[in-house]
Amino acid sequence: MDYNILLGGAAGQGVETMGHILAKTLKKLGFYVFLHRDYMSRIRGGHNFVQIRFSNQPIFAHADDLTVIIALNLETASLHYARLVEQSRIIAVEDGDKINTGYGSKIITLPIKQIVQKTGNRRVSGTAAVACALRLFNMPLAPLLEQLKDFFSEEVLLANKTAAEEGYTAAQPLFASNLPNPWENIFINGNEAIAMGALAAGCRFYAGYPMTPSTSIITYLSKKSRQATILVEQAEDEIAVINMALGASFAGLRAMVGSSGGGFSLMVEGVSLAGMTETPVVIVVSQRPGPATGFPTRTEQGELGFVIHSGHGEFPRMVIALRHPEDAFCQTVRAFNIAEKYQVPVFLLTDQYLADYTMTIKPFDFSSISIDRHFSYDAPIEQYLRYKLTESGISPRIIPGKIPGQLVYLDSDEHDEAGHITESAAVRKAMVDKRLKKGEALRSELVEPEYIGSENPEVLLIAWGSTYGPVKESVLLLNARSLPLGALIFGDIWPLPTKELVRLAQNARKIVNLEQNATGQLAALVRQQAMITCHHSLLKYDGRQWSKDEIVDRIMKEVW
Amino acid sequence: MDYNILLGGAAGQGVETMGHILAKTLKKLGFYVFLHRDYMSRIRGGHNFVQIRFSNQPIFAHADDLTVIIALNLETASLHYARLVEQSRIIAVEDGDKINTGYGSKIITLPIKQIVQKTGNRRVSGTAAVACALRLFNMPLAPLLEQLKDFFSEEVLLANKTAAEEGYTAAQPLFASNLPNPWENIFINGNEAIAMGALAAGCRFYAGYPMTPSTSIITYLSKKSRQATILVEQAEDEIAVINMALGASFAGLRAMVGSSGGGFSLMVEGVSLAGMTETPVVIVVSQRPGPATGFPTRTEQGELGFVIHSGHGEFPRMVIALRHPEDAFCQTVRAFNIAEKYQVPVFLLTDQYLADYTMTIKPFDFSSISIDRHFSYDAPIEQYLRYKLTESGISPRIIPGKIPGQLVYLDSDEHDEAGHITESAAVRKAMVDKRLKKGEALRSELVEPEYIGSENPEVLLIAWGSTYGPVKESVLLLNARSLPLGALIFGDIWPLPTKELVRLAQNARKIVNLEQNATGQLAALVRQQAMITCHHSLLKYDGRQWSKDEIVDRIMKEVW
Amino acid sequence: MFVLSNETAWCPGCGNFGILESLKNALESLNLEPHRVVISSGIGQAAKTPHYISVNMFNGLHGRSIPAGIAIKLANKALTVIVESGDGCSYGEGGNHFIHAIRRNLDITHIVHNNQIYGLTKGQASPTTARMQKTELQFDGVLIQPMNPISLAIGMGAGFVARSFSGDKTHLSAVIAQAISFKGYALVDILQPCPSFNRINTFKWYKDRIYYLSEDYDPSDILQARAKAEEWGERIPIGIIYRSEKPEYISENPVVRDNPPLVDLPLSPAHAQKFMDDFR
Amino acid sequence: MFVLSNETAWCPGCGNFGILESLKNALESLNLEPHRVVISSGIGQAAKTPHYISVNMFNGLHGRSIPAGIAIKLANKALTVIVESGDGCSYGEGGNHFIHAIRRNLDITHIVHNNQIYGLTKGQASPTTARMQKTELQFDGVLIQPMNPISLAIGMGAGFVARSFSGDKTHLSAVIAQAISFKGYALVDILQPCPSFNRINTFKWYKDRIYYLSEDYDPSDILQARAKAEEWGERIPIGIIYRSEKPEYISENPVVRDNPPLVDLPLSPAHAQKFMDDFR
Ligand SMILES: Cc1ncc(C[n+]2csc(CCOP(=O)(O)OP(=O)(O)O)c2C)c(N)n1
Ligand SMILES: Cc1ncc(C[n+]2csc(CCOP(=O)(O)OP(=O)(O)O)c2C)c(N)n1
Ligand code: SF4
Ligand code: SF4
Ligand SMILES: [Mg+2]
Ligand SMILES: [Mg+2]
């Protein structure tokens, strides 16, 4: 079983809340749940929806085919009607008269007038509709009633419960659902996973300036700031954000910032400062379609080239593309360790899709996490030199203020070992070499991309970051059709690990890059770093995430 | 004949002024002159110098070998002594006692005490030294006396003239100089050439915030602002700079900005805005060694990758690397025409070397310049659509305020043809395609790199921008030694023209990139865009420009 | 003349509607022509305003409405230029442009929809959010003092500083019209309820507190103006708090002053040829 | 205790020397330890100051000394944090941080070497350059009004606003020491001759105009302070122009207030495990 419910309406109608209530109910029932958000850049009106896919088998992405539409307004039904599968239903909360008769027997119109009358509340229709959906899937009502408690205040709880009961009786079971085996899980989105990773890694300073789709990271951390003892600062602008993070890091804290492309643009001078001063920092770039303001609430993988090259001058950095919530958590922890080990900026590339989708996964494993700060203040120090030339290029780092007589000089000019301004050609050369050496050393940390698919793929897909879920599912689907295909999905992406790629490329008949952008940025990177040219590009750049169905479709049409 | 004079001293000692006086004197005598600056990021003290190379044959770069050192302080002599050729002299203005006796007969100590006594002025020693140098080359004194008038006020003119006469008698002619054939020329540096290009192209708005080595562009334009009717604004920061330029361009002016890497970092969000809103703008990025504050007064080609990828999101742009002052002039004019034709940002990449060296060249040809603005307000307009979808991707542009009833809506969000915010996937896709189509069209404008060298080069150097002069001279030198070598020097660099490269690469035994940076950014671009891998890299990143001698040396050692 | 769009992306009950209408009234009362008016805006709910009225629009980046607006005016002094954005955009991200625009005193009108919150990004503190107010990000309340844009503007030497309220369209229309007529930088800070995210500074909260400057209030009296600027809390004055003529930028800058609008000048490469003499 | 470097990149006669020495005096008078003091500076001639004195240094980007300094203090409240830079760095490029730092009122000292010019870039106008003063870029003179940082700071609600003069080291040392002792954001704007590029505001120009606030001047009187802040031209007051205690940020922010210096806290992944419950 693999079902997909769309719940839609205008901004302000409670789409988010009802979607989460339904998803959490399904989660509690033990299903694998995947909730995907599609919303507009406005506070009221327009058209927003969530899609809740659930199954008793693991799932990794949203789907296009719909089993049920919960239409909080009429527009929702008409916009998504075409995606309904054969056996399917629309649950409508509007007056029956206004509804398109073309929907025929698919439509279930809830007796909203009565429910409102009975409950004395005009905002309970969503709850009734969700309950009705549960009934269609032959699920018990109790877990929903339980969920309602978490989302509604005492005042309106009763009304919602009543509405749920009414909605539940408005339909008859229609779809078969085998309740899954219970498993321990959490229901978390990519941004929450990043925030959890930061907390686990001991991040004590997060600065930000609100910008979709990065905002929920700072929001979560701010909620926890007292309990977790993490300082969370909303600054006056993104320039302050990055410079604050570097100040905090200099002073000895693990520091992190986040924004999306536009706000990140304002940080790139600071990125360069991190590079020159060898100050560790973790930077989340949560991509949305650009350029400029672009499509604020939609998704794209448009900043790969920009992030790799961001900031003036030459210095090492690491860029990790996050692939799914669990990866987001683990890579965030890893990013802090690498940033401090090599004293470089480490980037976490995510996007609106991954930021906003919520899925059930196994709880994170905290026992395997280690925090490696690479401070060297235990070693005896004669005269501390912040930029001491060493074999590895990595200089000892100490916390200013801790050792009487020892001072830390951090300098944005080209500097000597002590950190003072230099004009010397020889010192310059030594310092450039030192910094770039760290970039070489960093290569030893690289993790090869994850490979999914046939052992000897004829067609090799390459992809990165958040397309992980849809690509994985589509490969499994195509493999099931006996097509010898596989996908290499990059997480570490700069420096680019090329071993697996080179190996698999040798025997592949066709190499195809699949990206959520219009220019094929991974393909360009692979040409540059591995001298491998893709034969075909699958690109999508309308702000909506690739779905597994779309991928299968386009591979069959264009590639096979 | 090919001579090279170094004039050095502390900041504040008049190195700049005296260097220019000497160079201008040589220019007036009809020589080909090349003045190269090396200075520190401070106002007083330290060590600054200029090198003045001159010949009766065309020259294109500075040189390492010195014929004469004019030492305004003792440090100058000791720092540069090793570079003197066999027959050479040091002109020192300090007390003879303090001078290193190791210099032997090379030293000429000017009777500075007497000269100061006679002139009553302590700051005339440089003038005496310059006159002395002229005598060494057996040149007349009169042109120098003439030059002094342009540089000194009435009050000190006489003292300087007297000093010149004294200095002139302090030595005897030593070097043979054939006065060259007179030719009409100008003596100009790269930044002045850019400024002249902007004026010729009808730029009416230049905004900036001081930053070495871009500052002299705004300084020159500001000097001319009334006469040329160009508005020159120093803004509060570089963010204001770029947004002002876009406002001015929207309103109908040709607009330009300039900075170096750090200031440009602050502009990249604005670059993205230019891309999204299709607002023409010309952006000068005058490179200096980074990251961060780096080496403010020195040179590097470190921003190629950054500029090509600058700004979030995907949009077309053009990047032109300037190669020499004449090129700087022509390309600046061209940049304005291309920016307005395709409604894109066009970048001019220069660096401290090119910004600051001054050379004699033929006066610019104004008669061949055309200004093509590509406005379409002559055409009858029904309802004006700023982002009308057209075959070429280029939409008609009108000046707001000129046509009653017609409004211009410029929008940084993804927008429909009229310029209003959209949430539509289809409109998004159409608009991305429209913008990228312009990038394709723009390829038709590309000019192939300049090739210098043997017809069938065994070794193919590739280089870009300001290394033009040194590379050209070194190729000529090596060709003269019958080495079958050639160099392709890129001006247009994004999109990358690849025809010539591919042709020449086919038969070359070795391809070598020569760059003024530490990571080989051109080589990376060529791998990516032409799938050609360089066999060897010649990189220099100590802040000092490649010289022809150094290039010859390293080619002989590492490549041949 | 000035047509308003029927469709906006604003919430019902939002103060932005009153501002939009008042802007239209002001433009019409001044008999301006739509094609000779430009609004430069940033990003935010307020910044969407020009999409809903028939004037030229430069809807640029968050925080950057001022520099674009300044350059538009400089490029074509025949245009009426209005910079319009939210409190976050104008005083937060765009703070540096704000203070330096005051120094420049160019003839533009700066309209700030001050809902004391970041609306579009869903309710974080803006520079004008009250101390200890809880928001969607500052869960324990805002810890830093709010900015008082009126005193800041007066302290920086602005020539026209006004406050109005989106709930009084008559007052607001008149203030905007006067600001546009003022020769120089004119700030109109508008109290604007955001029912979706600011549950403290509601329509009623403002309504209960505002009072109109009396007929005999002399806006040219700087001392009085400074005192008025500090009034905030129980009673909030609205009206033109400070007004005095200062040297306006265009009348000081010979390049703009002594020429027709710069966009009207023809271009010719030959004009630049004379400068070649500098290099001979 | 605090050692000064013998070698600087400054010009003979520059006011920076007096400031450097006064800073040393102030730090010594307060009995601070060098390793517990941090100077965060930007880029410019003034910003080179920390290179010449034995304290920790964060010599960051032009205009960005404030945010780095703020975070250093927040990260380790046991440190004495001084933000030091030029007028261009602090009021021009860094203007937005300046105004918002005042709002935040964190316990840092902001020392501005105000030479009314951009020194390091060779003589362009800064935000404080006088109207009509000719510079190396503004050949016809500066057309926009100078910023008055003292009135701006007072207008924004700063708790400690002082002006001093690099030519009077006794006065300056005392003012800096008081600023450092002040709990909250403290601004010290220092008149500093730049003999190389500012030929108007010379040592003599300042010397002739400055006068000391009298013994009975009450810096807590806001009205008086506002009036003093406006004095500029023939007579320029120096001293602590305004002083009043306001809620200091650290004492307001529970995360910093209720913990040891954050750098001293141990890190353990297990601490975060409890938050997993949010997602069950
Ligand atoms: C550089 C940048 N940072 C952040 C954002 C995200 N953003 C958009 S609107 C906004 C706040 C808007 O607040 P305000 O200006 O007060 O306008 P309102 O929505 O309240 O009218 C922010 C932070 C952005 N678009 N660009
Ligand atoms: C982003 C950026 N823009 C411009 C510069 C160039 N720059 C360096 S110092 C300076 C001005 C310094 O003036 P001020 O802060 O007054 O210091 P002063 O040299 O006068 O002491 C400028 C514009 C820079 N380093 N970074
Ligand atoms: S969020 Fe607030 S400001 Fe924005 S439209 Fe809604 S009510 Fe108005
Ligand atoms: S340029 Fe001015 S501020 Fe800088 S050191 Fe010289 S005199 Fe001082
Ligand atoms: Mg707001
Ligand atoms: Mg200064």
Short mmCIF file of all heavy atoms in Angstrom, two decimals, chain A residues 223-251:
data_model
loop_
_atom_site.label_atom_id
_atom_site.label_comp_id
_atom_site.label_asym_id
_atom_site.label_seq_id
_atom_site.Cartn_x
_atom_site.Cartn_y
_atom_site.Cartn_z
N LYS A 223 13.85 28.67 19.98
CA LYS A 223 12.96 28.04 20.95
C LYS A 223 13.74 27.29 22.02
O LYS A 223 13.34 27.22 23.16
CB LYS A 223 12.04 27.05 20.20
CG LYS A 223 10.57 27.36 20.35
CD LYS A 223 9.73 26.37 19.58
CE LYS A 223 8.72 27.08 18.69
NZ LYS A 223 8.46 26.39 17.43
N LYS A 224 14.86 26.71 21.60
CA LYS A 224 15.63 25.88 22.52
C LYS A 224 16.77 26.63 23.18
O LYS A 224 17.57 26.03 23.90
CB LYS A 224 16.24 24.69 21.74
CG LYS A 224 15.22 23.84 21.04
CD LYS A 224 14.32 23.14 22.05
CE LYS A 224 12.97 22.81 21.42
NZ LYS A 224 12.00 22.33 22.39
N SER A 225 16.90 27.93 22.92
CA SER A 225 18.16 28.58 23.26
C SER A 225 18.50 28.51 24.74
O SER A 225 19.64 28.27 25.11
CB SER A 225 18.19 30.02 22.76
OG SER A 225 17.31 30.80 23.50
N ARG A 226 17.52 28.67 25.57
CA ARG A 226 17.83 28.63 27.01
C ARG A 226 18.16 27.22 27.46
O ARG A 226 19.15 26.99 28.15
CB ARG A 226 16.62 29.12 27.79
CG ARG A 226 16.52 30.62 27.71
CD ARG A 226 16.01 31.15 29.01
NE ARG A 226 14.66 31.63 28.81
CZ ARG A 226 13.95 32.13 29.81
NH1 ARG A 226 14.44 32.17 31.04
NH2 ARG A 226 12.75 32.58 29.59
N GLN A 227 17.33 26.29 27.03
CA GLN A 227 17.52 24.90 27.45
C GLN A 227 18.84 24.34 26.95
O GLN A 227 19.52 23.60 27.64
CB GLN A 227 16.40 24.06 26.85
CG GLN A 227 15.41 23.52 27.84
CD GLN A 227 14.43 22.63 27.10
OE1 GLN A 227 13.76 23.10 26.16
NE2 GLN A 227 14.36 21.37 27.50
N ALA A 228 19.20 24.72 25.73
CA ALA A 228 20.41 24.15 25.13
C ALA A 228 21.62 25.06 25.33
O ALA A 228 22.72 24.71 24.92
CB ALA A 228 20.18 23.93 23.64
N THR A 229 21.40 26.20 25.94
CA THR A 229 22.46 27.21 26.07
C THR A 229 23.14 27.47 24.74
O THR A 229 24.32 27.26 24.53
CB THR A 229 23.53 26.82 27.12
OG1 THR A 229 22.87 26.27 28.25
CG2 THR A 229 24.31 28.05 27.56
N ILE A 230 22.32 27.93 23.81
CA ILE A 230 22.87 28.38 22.54
C ILE A 230 22.38 29.79 22.33
O ILE A 230 21.19 30.09 22.52
CB ILE A 230 22.46 27.45 21.36
CG1 ILE A 230 22.91 28.06 20.03
CG2 ILE A 230 20.98 27.18 21.34
CD1 ILE A 230 22.72 27.12 18.85
N LEU A 231 23.31 30.66 22.00
CA LEU A 231 22.94 32.06 21.79
C LEU A 231 22.42 32.21 20.37
O LEU A 231 23.11 31.84 19.42
CB LEU A 231 24.18 32.93 22.00
CG LEU A 231 23.90 34.40 22.19
CD1 LEU A 231 23.09 34.65 23.44
CD2 LEU A 231 25.22 35.15 22.27
N VAL A 232 21.22 32.70 20.24
CA VAL A 232 20.61 32.84 18.92
C VAL A 232 20.33 34.31 18.69
O VAL A 232 19.57 34.93 19.43
CB VAL A 232 19.31 32.01 18.85
CG1 VAL A 232 18.64 32.21 17.51
CG2 VAL A 232 19.62 30.53 19.08
N GLU A 233 20.97 34.86 17.68
CA GLU A 233 20.86 36.29 17.45
C GLU A 233 20.24 36.60 16.09
O GLU A 233 20.73 36.14 15.06
CB GLU A 233 22.25 36.96 17.50
CG GLU A 233 22.87 37.02 18.88
CD GLU A 233 22.13 37.97 19.82
OE1 GLU A 233 21.37 38.84 19.35
OE2 GLU A 233 22.33 37.84 21.05
N GLN A 234 19.18 37.38 16.10
CA GLN A 234 18.70 37.97 14.85
C GLN A 234 19.44 39.28 14.69
O GLN A 234 19.34 40.17 15.54
CB GLN A 234 17.19 38.20 14.90
CG GLN A 234 16.65 38.87 13.64
CD GLN A 234 15.17 39.21 13.73
OE1 GLN A 234 14.40 38.53 14.40
NE2 GLN A 234 14.77 40.29 13.06
N ALA A 235 20.19 39.42 13.63
CA ALA A 235 21.00 40.62 13.43
C ALA A 235 20.29 41.61 12.52
O ALA A 235 19.23 41.32 11.97
CB ALA A 235 22.35 40.24 12.85
N GLU A 236 20.90 42.78 12.35
CA GLU A 236 20.30 43.83 11.53
C GLU A 236 20.35 43.50 10.04
O GLU A 236 19.57 44.00 9.26
CB GLU A 236 20.96 45.18 11.80
CG GLU A 236 22.47 45.25 11.58
CD GLU A 236 23.28 44.86 12.81
OE1 GLU A 236 22.73 44.16 13.69
OE2 GLU A 236 24.45 45.25 12.89
N ASP A 237 21.31 42.68 9.63
CA ASP A 237 21.41 42.27 8.23
C ASP A 237 22.34 41.06 8.16
O ASP A 237 22.94 40.67 9.16
CB ASP A 237 21.90 43.42 7.33
CG ASP A 237 23.23 44.01 7.77
OD1 ASP A 237 24.07 43.28 8.33
OD2 ASP A 237 23.45 45.23 7.55
N GLU A 238 22.47 40.49 6.98
CA GLU A 238 23.25 39.27 6.83
C GLU A 238 24.75 39.54 6.93
O GLU A 238 25.53 38.62 7.17
CB GLU A 238 22.92 38.58 5.52
CG GLU A 238 21.52 37.95 5.48
CD GLU A 238 20.44 38.91 5.05
OE1 GLU A 238 20.72 40.13 4.95
OE2 GLU A 238 19.31 38.46 4.78
N ILE A 239 25.14 40.76 6.69
CA ILE A 239 26.56 41.08 6.82
C ILE A 239 26.95 40.98 8.29
O ILE A 239 27.98 40.41 8.65
CB ILE A 239 26.84 42.50 6.27
CG1 ILE A 239 26.38 42.60 4.82
CG2 ILE A 239 28.31 42.84 6.40
CD1 ILE A 239 26.48 44.00 4.25
N ALA A 240 26.10 41.53 9.13
CA ALA A 240 26.34 41.41 10.56
C ALA A 240 26.33 39.93 10.95
O ALA A 240 27.15 39.48 11.76
CB ALA A 240 25.29 42.18 11.34
N VAL A 241 25.42 39.18 10.38
CA VAL A 241 25.28 37.76 10.72
C VAL A 241 26.61 37.02 10.58
O VAL A 241 27.08 36.39 11.52
CB VAL A 241 24.21 37.10 9.81
CG1 VAL A 241 24.30 35.58 9.85
CG2 VAL A 241 22.80 37.56 10.22
N ILE A 242 27.22 37.13 9.42
CA ILE A 242 28.44 36.35 9.19
C ILE A 242 29.60 36.91 10.01
O ILE A 242 30.40 36.16 10.56
CB ILE A 242 28.78 36.26 7.68
CG1 ILE A 242 29.99 35.38 7.42
CG2 ILE A 242 29.04 37.63 7.08
CD1 ILE A 242 29.72 33.92 7.45
N ASN A 243 29.67 38.22 10.13
CA ASN A 243 30.77 38.78 10.92
C ASN A 243 30.62 38.47 12.40
O ASN A 243 31.61 38.30 13.12
CB ASN A 243 30.91 40.28 10.65
CG ASN A 243 31.57 40.55 9.31
OD1 ASN A 243 32.79 40.45 9.19
ND2 ASN A 243 30.78 40.85 8.30
N MET A 244 29.39 38.39 12.86
CA MET A 244 29.16 37.94 14.23
C MET A 244 29.63 36.50 14.41
O MET A 244 30.31 36.18 15.39
CB MET A 244 27.66 37.99 14.56
CG MET A 244 27.17 39.36 14.95
SD MET A 244 25.41 39.20 15.35
CE MET A 244 25.16 40.73 16.23
N ALA A 245 29.27 35.66 13.48
CA ALA A 245 29.64 34.26 13.61
C ALA A 245 31.16 34.12 13.67
O ALA A 245 31.69 33.33 14.45
CB ALA A 245 29.07 33.45 12.45
N LEU A 246 31.85 34.91 12.87
CA LEU A 246 33.31 34.82 12.88
C LEU A 246 33.88 35.35 14.18
O LEU A 246 34.85 34.79 14.71
CB LEU A 246 33.90 35.57 11.67
CG LEU A 246 33.47 34.99 10.31
CD1 LEU A 246 34.09 35.78 9.17
CD2 LEU A 246 33.84 33.52 10.19
N GLY A 247 33.28 36.39 14.71
CA GLY A 247 33.72 36.90 16.02
C GLY A 247 33.53 35.83 17.09
O GLY A 247 34.42 35.58 17.90
N ALA A 248 32.37 35.20 17.07
CA ALA A 248 32.09 34.17 18.08
C ALA A 248 33.05 33.00 17.94
O ALA A 248 33.53 32.45 18.94
CB ALA A 248 30.64 33.70 17.94
N SER A 249 33.35 32.63 16.72
CA SER A 249 34.25 31.51 16.47
C SER A 249 35.66 31.86 16.93
O SER A 249 36.33 31.04 17.58
CB SER A 249 34.22 31.17 14.98
OG SER A 249 35.14 30.15 14.69
N PHE A 250 36.09 33.05 16.60
CA PHE A 250 37.40 33.53 17.07
C PHE A 250 37.49 33.42 18.59
O PHE A 250 38.49 32.98 19.16
CB PHE A 250 37.57 34.98 16.62
CG PHE A 250 38.64 35.77 17.33
CD1 PHE A 250 39.97 35.63 16.97
CD2 PHE A 250 38.31 36.67 18.34
CE1 PHE A 250 40.97 36.37 17.61
CE2 PHE A 250 39.29 37.41 18.99
CZ PHE A 250 40.63 37.26 18.62
N ALA A 251 36.40 33.81 19.24
CA ALA A 251 36.40 33.80 20.70
C ALA A 251 36.33 32.39 21.27
O ALA A 251 36.56 32.20 22.45
CB ALA A 251 35.24 34.64 21.23
#
